[in-house]
Amino acid sequence: MHRILALTIVVAGFGLPAMAEIAPEDVPWSEDGSVAESLTGTPGNPDEGKVIMTTNALGNCVACHAIEAMPDVPFQGDIAPQLDGAGDRWTEAQLRGIVIDAKRTFPESFMPGMYKVGPFIRPGVAYTAKPPEKPEDIKPILSAQQVEDVVAYLMTLSE
Amino acid sequence: MKLQHTMTAVTVLAATLALIATGPRAEPAQDDQLVINGEEEVPTQAPAPAHLDGALGDTIYSGWLFRDPDTRAMQKDDFDNPMFLFVDAGIETWNTPDGTEGKSCADCHNAIEDSMKGVRAALPKVTEKGELWSLENFVNDCRTNRMGAEAWGWNSQEMKNMTAAIGLQSRGMPVAVAIDGEAAPFWEKGKEMYYTRYGQLEMSCANCHEDNYGNYIRSDHLSQGQINGFPLYRLKDQGAVSTHQRFVGCVRDTRGVPFEAGSQEFRELELYVASRGLGLPVETPAVRH
């Protein structure tokens, strides 16, 4: 609500059209699975990123990853590497690529693509177990701006 | 002041939970044994079947070992095990005539303890007509073709009562499904499904139950996904859950579209998953949360 208000003011104030978002199909991949360009042109908000990463219905990164920098989040998973220090190990472009579709960086990875709409085998509409009526019914797990927010938070994870 | 108190309490609680959640893991419980009613010991692990080729290491484990002590305790005593309400209902139905022929199961099969001993441990299996049938298919075949009664829904309460009552007669007997001969083509298809990455999350059964058993996905302690305890009582659902119902849930959780309970696909998957538990004693009716 706050954000929408702020955005409206900015747009109204400067009369600039919001930059077009990059759609999941149009992500400009590098060979190595990184994505240099921001998906939205709007800098990510690390505080939002943190919320997204710990919310079941959103990124739910803590289902698999432990993050010591979030000691207040209970029941962190132990399936994947701890994310502390990710900002040192990877560049922003690499992290963006990992969050969008980790399989471009780690082939066969268990990590789901967060900004990906296919091709999938028997995809359902979210957790309804229902097939999509039209292709647009399969929405990426995170929005373009949510990806940027998560990347911004990951960049703060340095040791 | 009061608010601050509450806040502190919440923080402490959260910290404690975090501690529990990050404590030593990757273990099926090693210090507990499934002894039912204080007398009947049911082993909860077995040497891994050869066809797995080491995919699960040397040992296969019952899902019972991955549950918390309270849930494990409920399965140790048939009076505490909520499934026994359903078993009793199933046995009552066994003895009750139904359908146009006016026959009960007992009229043909006599005592369930004798005629159904070991049946569940060997299912699904290929019939004379070359079809792969689960226990539910056999039950409905007798109802429709031999009793003149209506088929029960795959996940209906009546069906779960009966499969629990029949399954109990195999408790303690090792899973012994055939996977060669006529069963082989079905088994192969089931195996392929097991390693197929379904849904928007692109996850296969193996991703969770082979690569990651013993690990935690959020607060869920992943087991090997064995089916030796089905149908079982799920505390979360406060009711009985069939094997195929569990498959439906696991595929749905990949943001995928599951196959129907009772479908050809899920019977093939059932055969394959059963074969990953070859040698593991039947635990029907188990308790999970």
Side-chain angles (χ1 to χ4, degrees), chain A residues 133-159:
Chain A
E133 279 167 27
K134 44 190 188 321
E136 305 84 81
D137 290 345
I138 303 295
K139 307 241 185 314
I141 295 168
L142 298 181
S143 71
Q145 191 56 46
Q146 286 172 330
V147 170
E148 293 303 323
D149 293 343
V150 167
V151 171
Y153 177 75
L154 291 173
M155 288 303 290
T156 69
L157 291 176
S158 71
E159 279 166 339

PDB file of all heavy atoms in Angstrom, chain A residues 133-159:
ATOM      1  N   GLU A 133      -5.948 -23.317 -17.728  1.00  0.00           N
ATOM      2  CA  GLU A 133      -6.870 -23.259 -18.867  1.00  0.00           C
ATOM      3  C   GLU A 133      -6.186 -22.594 -20.046  1.00  0.00           C
ATOM      4  O   GLU A 133      -6.453 -22.897 -21.193  1.00  0.00           O
ATOM      5  CB  GLU A 133      -8.141 -22.513 -18.480  1.00  0.00           C
ATOM      6  CG  GLU A 133      -9.102 -23.433 -17.726  1.00  0.00           C
ATOM      7  CD  GLU A 133     -10.229 -22.671 -17.062  1.00  0.00           C
ATOM      8  OE1 GLU A 133     -10.598 -21.580 -17.545  1.00  0.00           O
ATOM      9  OE2 GLU A 133     -10.741 -23.184 -16.039  1.00  0.00           O
ATOM     10  N   LYS A 134      -5.318 -21.630 -19.747  1.00  0.00           N
ATOM     11  CA  LYS A 134      -4.535 -20.969 -20.777  1.00  0.00           C
ATOM     12  C   LYS A 134      -3.122 -20.780 -20.245  1.00  0.00           C
ATOM     13  O   LYS A 134      -2.920 -20.768 -19.019  1.00  0.00           O
ATOM     14  CB  LYS A 134      -5.165 -19.629 -21.171  1.00  0.00           C
ATOM     15  CG  LYS A 134      -5.622 -18.817 -19.971  1.00  0.00           C
ATOM     16  CD  LYS A 134      -6.441 -17.633 -20.407  1.00  0.00           C
ATOM     17  CE  LYS A 134      -6.771 -16.665 -19.269  1.00  0.00           C
ATOM     18  NZ  LYS A 134      -7.095 -17.229 -17.977  1.00  0.00           N
ATOM     19  N   PRO A 135      -2.133 -20.657 -21.138  1.00  0.00           N
ATOM     20  CA  PRO A 135      -0.738 -20.605 -20.688  1.00  0.00           C
ATOM     21  C   PRO A 135      -0.487 -19.520 -19.632  1.00  0.00           C
ATOM     22  O   PRO A 135       0.283 -19.729 -18.703  1.00  0.00           O
ATOM     23  CB  PRO A 135       0.034 -20.289 -21.976  1.00  0.00           C
ATOM     24  CG  PRO A 135      -0.858 -20.727 -23.092  1.00  0.00           C
ATOM     25  CD  PRO A 135      -2.259 -20.622 -22.607  1.00  0.00           C
ATOM     26  N   GLU A 136      -1.199 -18.401 -19.731  1.00  0.00           N
ATOM     27  CA  GLU A 136      -0.955 -17.292 -18.791  1.00  0.00           C
ATOM     28  C   GLU A 136      -1.348 -17.666 -17.364  1.00  0.00           C
ATOM     29  O   GLU A 136      -1.002 -16.949 -16.419  1.00  0.00           O
ATOM     30  CB  GLU A 136      -1.740 -16.021 -19.191  1.00  0.00           C
ATOM     31  CG  GLU A 136      -1.510 -15.518 -20.575  1.00  0.00           C
ATOM     32  CD  GLU A 136      -2.399 -16.249 -21.594  1.00  0.00           C
ATOM     33  OE1 GLU A 136      -3.577 -15.912 -21.738  1.00  0.00           O
ATOM     34  OE2 GLU A 136      -1.866 -17.193 -22.228  1.00  0.00           O
ATOM     35  N   ASP A 137      -2.094 -18.755 -17.199  1.00  0.00           N
ATOM     36  CA  ASP A 137      -2.474 -19.150 -15.832  1.00  0.00           C
ATOM     37  C   ASP A 137      -1.267 -19.601 -15.016  1.00  0.00           C
ATOM     38  O   ASP A 137      -1.326 -19.634 -13.793  1.00  0.00           O
ATOM     39  CB  ASP A 137      -3.505 -20.291 -15.870  1.00  0.00           C
ATOM     40  CG  ASP A 137      -4.862 -19.814 -16.380  1.00  0.00           C
ATOM     41  OD1 ASP A 137      -5.055 -18.583 -16.422  1.00  0.00           O
ATOM     42  OD2 ASP A 137      -5.699 -20.663 -16.735  1.00  0.00           O
ATOM     43  N   ILE A 138      -0.187 -20.000 -15.699  1.00  0.00           N
ATOM     44  CA  ILE A 138       1.033 -20.359 -14.982  1.00  0.00           C
ATOM     45  C   ILE A 138       1.845 -19.087 -14.775  1.00  0.00           C
ATOM     46  O   ILE A 138       2.465 -18.560 -15.694  1.00  0.00           O
ATOM     47  CB  ILE A 138       1.867 -21.397 -15.770  1.00  0.00           C
ATOM     48  CG1 ILE A 138       1.040 -22.649 -16.058  1.00  0.00           C
ATOM     49  CG2 ILE A 138       3.145 -21.745 -15.004  1.00  0.00           C
ATOM     50  CD1 ILE A 138       0.626 -23.435 -14.822  1.00  0.00           C
ATOM     51  N   LYS A 139       1.807 -18.604 -13.534  1.00  0.00           N
ATOM     52  CA  LYS A 139       2.515 -17.365 -13.205  1.00  0.00           C
ATOM     53  C   LYS A 139       3.862 -17.723 -12.588  1.00  0.00           C
ATOM     54  O   LYS A 139       3.982 -18.737 -11.902  1.00  0.00           O
ATOM     55  CB  LYS A 139       1.705 -16.568 -12.173  1.00  0.00           C
ATOM     56  CG  LYS A 139       0.270 -16.326 -12.565  1.00  0.00           C
ATOM     57  CD  LYS A 139       0.009 -14.843 -12.666  1.00  0.00           C
ATOM     58  CE  LYS A 139      -1.454 -14.510 -12.942  1.00  0.00           C
ATOM     59  NZ  LYS A 139      -2.125 -15.274 -13.986  1.00  0.00           N
ATOM     60  N   PRO A 140       4.868 -16.866 -12.828  1.00  0.00           N
ATOM     61  CA  PRO A 140       6.129 -17.132 -12.134  1.00  0.00           C
ATOM     62  C   PRO A 140       5.913 -17.072 -10.620  1.00  0.00           C
ATOM     63  O   PRO A 140       5.009 -16.383 -10.152  1.00  0.00           O
ATOM     64  CB  PRO A 140       7.052 -16.016 -12.614  1.00  0.00           C
ATOM     65  CG  PRO A 140       6.171 -14.985 -13.213  1.00  0.00           C
ATOM     66  CD  PRO A 140       4.901 -15.645 -13.634  1.00  0.00           C
ATOM     67  N   ILE A 141       6.756 -17.809  -9.870  1.00  0.00           N
ATOM     68  CA  ILE A 141       6.585 -17.860  -8.416  1.00  0.00           C
ATOM     69  C   ILE A 141       6.799 -16.477  -7.810  1.00  0.00           C
ATOM     70  O   ILE A 141       6.069 -16.060  -6.925  1.00  0.00           O
ATOM     71  CB  ILE A 141       7.546 -18.902  -7.812  1.00  0.00           C
ATOM     72  CG1 ILE A 141       7.155 -20.297  -8.322  1.00  0.00           C
ATOM     73  CG2 ILE A 141       7.519 -18.856  -6.289  1.00  0.00           C
ATOM     74  CD1 ILE A 141       8.166 -21.379  -8.041  1.00  0.00           C
ATOM     75  N   LEU A 142       7.797 -15.767  -8.312  1.00  0.00           N
ATOM     76  CA  LEU A 142       8.046 -14.400  -7.852  1.00  0.00           C
ATOM     77  C   LEU A 142       7.836 -13.422  -9.014  1.00  0.00           C
ATOM     78  O   LEU A 142       8.061 -13.779 -10.174  1.00  0.00           O
ATOM     79  CB  LEU A 142       9.477 -14.251  -7.332  1.00  0.00           C
ATOM     80  CG  LEU A 142       9.865 -15.102  -6.121  1.00  0.00           C
ATOM     81  CD1 LEU A 142      11.312 -14.801  -5.726  1.00  0.00           C
ATOM     82  CD2 LEU A 142       8.927 -14.839  -4.936  1.00  0.00           C
ATOM     83  N   SER A 143       7.428 -12.210  -8.697  1.00  0.00           N
ATOM     84  CA  SER A 143       7.331 -11.172  -9.726  1.00  0.00           C
ATOM     85  C   SER A 143       8.729 -10.651 -10.032  1.00  0.00           C
ATOM     86  O   SER A 143       9.683 -10.908  -9.287  1.00  0.00           O
ATOM     87  CB  SER A 143       6.439 -10.031  -9.230  1.00  0.00           C
ATOM     88  OG  SER A 143       7.135  -9.319  -8.207  1.00  0.00           O
ATOM     89  N   ALA A 144       8.847  -9.910 -11.107  1.00  0.00           N
ATOM     90  CA  ALA A 144      10.146  -9.354 -11.501  1.00  0.00           C
ATOM     91  C   ALA A 144      10.737  -8.505 -10.372  1.00  0.00           C
ATOM     92  O   ALA A 144      11.921  -8.615 -10.037  1.00  0.00           O
ATOM     93  CB  ALA A 144       9.987  -8.526 -12.772  1.00  0.00           C
ATOM     94  N   GLN A 145       9.905  -7.679  -9.759  1.00  0.00           N
ATOM     95  CA  GLN A 145      10.433  -6.814  -8.700  1.00  0.00           C
ATOM     96  C   GLN A 145      10.800  -7.630  -7.468  1.00  0.00           C
ATOM     97  O   GLN A 145      11.784  -7.322  -6.789  1.00  0.00           O
ATOM     98  CB  GLN A 145       9.425  -5.707  -8.336  1.00  0.00           C
ATOM     99  CG  GLN A 145      10.008  -4.619  -7.444  1.00  0.00           C
ATOM    100  CD  GLN A 145      11.263  -3.969  -8.053  1.00  0.00           C
ATOM    101  OE1 GLN A 145      11.279  -3.626  -9.242  1.00  0.00           O
ATOM    102  NE2 GLN A 145      12.331  -3.826  -7.262  1.00  0.00           N
ATOM    103  N   GLN A 146      10.040  -8.683  -7.193  1.00  0.00           N
ATOM    104  CA  GLN A 146      10.391  -9.539  -6.047  1.00  0.00           C
ATOM    105  C   GLN A 146      11.744 -10.211  -6.267  1.00  0.00           C
ATOM    106  O   GLN A 146      12.529 -10.370  -5.326  1.00  0.00           O
ATOM    107  CB  GLN A 146       9.296 -10.589  -5.817  1.00  0.00           C
ATOM    108  CG  GLN A 146       8.040  -9.974  -5.191  1.00  0.00           C
ATOM    109  CD  GLN A 146       6.871 -10.947  -5.132  1.00  0.00           C
ATOM    110  OE1 GLN A 146       6.749 -11.836  -5.980  1.00  0.00           O
ATOM    111  NE2 GLN A 146       5.997 -10.772  -4.156  1.00  0.00           N
ATOM    112  N   VAL A 147      12.041 -10.594  -7.505  1.00  0.00           N
ATOM    113  CA  VAL A 147      13.363 -11.155  -7.802  1.00  0.00           C
ATOM    114  C   VAL A 147      14.436 -10.114  -7.473  1.00  0.00           C
ATOM    115  O   VAL A 147      15.434 -10.416  -6.799  1.00  0.00           O
ATOM    116  CB  VAL A 147      13.475 -11.579  -9.296  1.00  0.00           C
ATOM    117  CG1 VAL A 147      14.923 -11.921  -9.651  1.00  0.00           C
ATOM    118  CG2 VAL A 147      12.543 -12.741  -9.596  1.00  0.00           C
ATOM    119  N   GLU A 148      14.208  -8.891  -7.897  1.00  0.00           N
ATOM    120  CA  GLU A 148      15.188  -7.825  -7.631  1.00  0.00           C
ATOM    121  C   GLU A 148      15.344  -7.599  -6.122  1.00  0.00           C
ATOM    122  O   GLU A 148      16.446  -7.368  -5.626  1.00  0.00           O
ATOM    123  CB  GLU A 148      14.770  -6.522  -8.330  1.00  0.00           C
ATOM    124  CG  GLU A 148      14.819  -6.599  -9.864  1.00  0.00           C
ATOM    125  CD  GLU A 148      16.206  -7.001 -10.400  1.00  0.00           C
ATOM    126  OE1 GLU A 148      17.221  -6.574  -9.815  1.00  0.00           O
ATOM    127  OE2 GLU A 148      16.253  -7.758 -11.391  1.00  0.00           O
ATOM    128  N   ASP A 149      14.245  -7.656  -5.393  1.00  0.00           N
ATOM    129  CA  ASP A 149      14.302  -7.468  -3.937  1.00  0.00           C
ATOM    130  C   ASP A 149      15.138  -8.586  -3.286  1.00  0.00           C
ATOM    131  O   ASP A 149      15.955  -8.327  -2.399  1.00  0.00           O
ATOM    132  CB  ASP A 149      12.889  -7.466  -3.337  1.00  0.00           C
ATOM    133  CG  ASP A 149      12.053  -6.258  -3.776  1.00  0.00           C
ATOM    134  OD1 ASP A 149      12.658  -5.277  -4.270  1.00  0.00           O
ATOM    135  OD2 ASP A 149      10.818  -6.304  -3.644  1.00  0.00           O
ATOM    136  N   VAL A 150      14.915  -9.821  -3.737  1.00  0.00           N
ATOM    137  CA  VAL A 150      15.654 -10.955  -3.173  1.00  0.00           C
ATOM    138  C   VAL A 150      17.143 -10.812  -3.489  1.00  0.00           C
ATOM    139  O   VAL A 150      18.003 -11.003  -2.612  1.00  0.00           O
ATOM    140  CB  VAL A 150      15.098 -12.292  -3.713  1.00  0.00           C
ATOM    141  CG1 VAL A 150      16.038 -13.444  -3.397  1.00  0.00           C
ATOM    142  CG2 VAL A 150      13.710 -12.566  -3.139  1.00  0.00           C
ATOM    143  N   VAL A 151      17.465 -10.445  -4.727  1.00  0.00           N
ATOM    144  CA  VAL A 151      18.864 -10.273  -5.118  1.00  0.00           C
ATOM    145  C   VAL A 151      19.510  -9.181  -4.253  1.00  0.00           C
ATOM    146  O   VAL A 151      20.638  -9.332  -3.770  1.00  0.00           O
ATOM    147  CB  VAL A 151      18.979  -9.946  -6.625  1.00  0.00           C
ATOM    148  CG1 VAL A 151      20.409  -9.554  -6.992  1.00  0.00           C
ATOM    149  CG2 VAL A 151      18.517 -11.140  -7.470  1.00  0.00           C
ATOM    150  N   ALA A 152      18.756  -8.118  -4.015  1.00  0.00           N
ATOM    151  CA  ALA A 152      19.289  -7.023  -3.192  1.00  0.00           C
ATOM    152  C   ALA A 152      19.602  -7.529  -1.790  1.00  0.00           C
ATOM    153  O   ALA A 152      20.636  -7.188  -1.201  1.00  0.00           O
ATOM    154  CB  ALA A 152      18.285  -5.863  -3.138  1.00  0.00           C
ATOM    155  N   TYR A 153      18.725  -8.385  -1.230  1.00  0.00           N
ATOM    156  CA  TYR A 153      19.011  -8.920   0.101  1.00  0.00           C
ATOM    157  C   TYR A 153      20.225  -9.844   0.062  1.00  0.00           C
ATOM    158  O   TYR A 153      21.106  -9.761   0.928  1.00  0.00           O
ATOM    159  CB  TYR A 153      17.799  -9.658   0.683  1.00  0.00           C
ATOM    160  CG  TYR A 153      18.153 -10.268   2.033  1.00  0.00           C
ATOM    161  CD1 TYR A 153      18.255  -9.456   3.167  1.00  0.00           C
ATOM    162  CD2 TYR A 153      18.452 -11.621   2.148  1.00  0.00           C
ATOM    163  CE1 TYR A 153      18.639  -9.990   4.385  1.00  0.00           C
ATOM    164  CE2 TYR A 153      18.839 -12.166   3.366  1.00  0.00           C
ATOM    165  CZ  TYR A 153      18.941 -11.344   4.486  1.00  0.00           C
ATOM    166  OH  TYR A 153      19.343 -11.879   5.682  1.00  0.00           O
ATOM    167  N   LEU A 154      20.285 -10.716  -0.941  1.00  0.00           N
ATOM    168  CA  LEU A 154      21.420 -11.652  -1.030  1.00  0.00           C
ATOM    169  C   LEU A 154      22.739 -10.880  -1.079  1.00  0.00           C
ATOM    170  O   LEU A 154      23.745 -11.310  -0.496  1.00  0.00           O
ATOM    171  CB  LEU A 154      21.290 -12.551  -2.265  1.00  0.00           C
ATOM    172  CG  LEU A 154      20.156 -13.586  -2.244  1.00  0.00           C
ATOM    173  CD1 LEU A 154      20.046 -14.282  -3.603  1.00  0.00           C
ATOM    174  CD2 LEU A 154      20.363 -14.614  -1.135  1.00  0.00           C
ATOM    175  N   MET A 155      22.739  -9.737  -1.759  1.00  0.00           N
ATOM    176  CA  MET A 155      23.972  -8.936  -1.870  1.00  0.00           C
ATOM    177  C   MET A 155      24.425  -8.398  -0.505  1.00  0.00           C
ATOM    178  O   MET A 155      25.587  -8.076  -0.318  1.00  0.00           O
ATOM    179  CB  MET A 155      23.775  -7.769  -2.856  1.00  0.00           C
ATOM    180  CG  MET A 155      23.702  -8.188  -4.323  1.00  0.00           C
ATOM    181  SD  MET A 155      25.173  -9.108  -4.870  1.00  0.00           S
ATOM    182  CE  MET A 155      26.412  -7.790  -4.860  1.00  0.00           C
ATOM    183  N   THR A 156      23.467  -8.318   0.446  1.00  0.00           N
ATOM    184  CA  THR A 156      23.855  -7.852   1.791  1.00  0.00           C
ATOM    185  C   THR A 156      24.506  -8.978   2.596  1.00  0.00           C
ATOM    186  O   THR A 156      25.048  -8.736   3.667  1.00  0.00           O
ATOM    187  CB  THR A 156      22.639  -7.335   2.609  1.00  0.00           C
ATOM    188  OG1 THR A 156      21.799  -8.459   2.944  1.00  0.00           O
ATOM    189  CG2 THR A 156      21.836  -6.301   1.834  1.00  0.00           C
ATOM    190  N   LEU A 157      24.404 -10.223   2.130  1.00  0.00           N
ATOM    191  CA  LEU A 157      24.935 -11.360   2.884  1.00  0.00           C
ATOM    192  C   LEU A 157      26.429 -11.509   2.618  1.00  0.00           C
ATOM    193  O   LEU A 157      26.844 -12.324   1.797  1.00  0.00           O
ATOM    194  CB  LEU A 157      24.204 -12.658   2.508  1.00  0.00           C
ATOM    195  CG  LEU A 157      22.746 -12.766   2.959  1.00  0.00           C
ATOM    196  CD1 LEU A 157      22.127 -14.058   2.428  1.00  0.00           C
ATOM    197  CD2 LEU A 157      22.620 -12.697   4.476  1.00  0.00           C
ATOM    198  N   SER A 158      27.226 -10.690   3.297  1.00  0.00           N
ATOM    199  CA  SER A 158      28.670 -10.865   3.142  1.00  0.00           C
ATOM    200  C   SER A 158      29.274 -11.073   4.522  1.00  0.00           C
ATOM    201  O   SER A 158      28.696 -10.686   5.527  1.00  0.00           O
ATOM    202  CB  SER A 158      29.277  -9.657   2.433  1.00  0.00           C
ATOM    203  OG  SER A 158      29.269  -8.547   3.289  1.00  0.00           O
ATOM    204  N   GLU A 159      30.385 -11.773   4.546  1.00  0.00           N
ATOM    205  CA  GLU A 159      30.947 -12.170   5.847  1.00  0.00           C
ATOM    206  C   GLU A 159      32.217 -11.389   6.181  1.00  0.00           C
ATOM    207  O   GLU A 159      32.823 -10.782   5.327  1.00  0.00           O
ATOM    208  CB  GLU A 159      31.229 -13.674   5.853  1.00  0.00           C
ATOM    209  CG  GLU A 159      29.964 -14.445   6.142  1.00  0.00           C
ATOM    210  CD  GLU A 159      30.063 -15.948   5.850  1.00  0.00           C
ATOM    211  OE1 GLU A 159      30.951 -16.358   5.072  1.00  0.00           O
ATOM    212  OE2 GLU A 159      29.239 -16.678   6.378  1.00  0.00           O
TER     213      GLU A 159
END
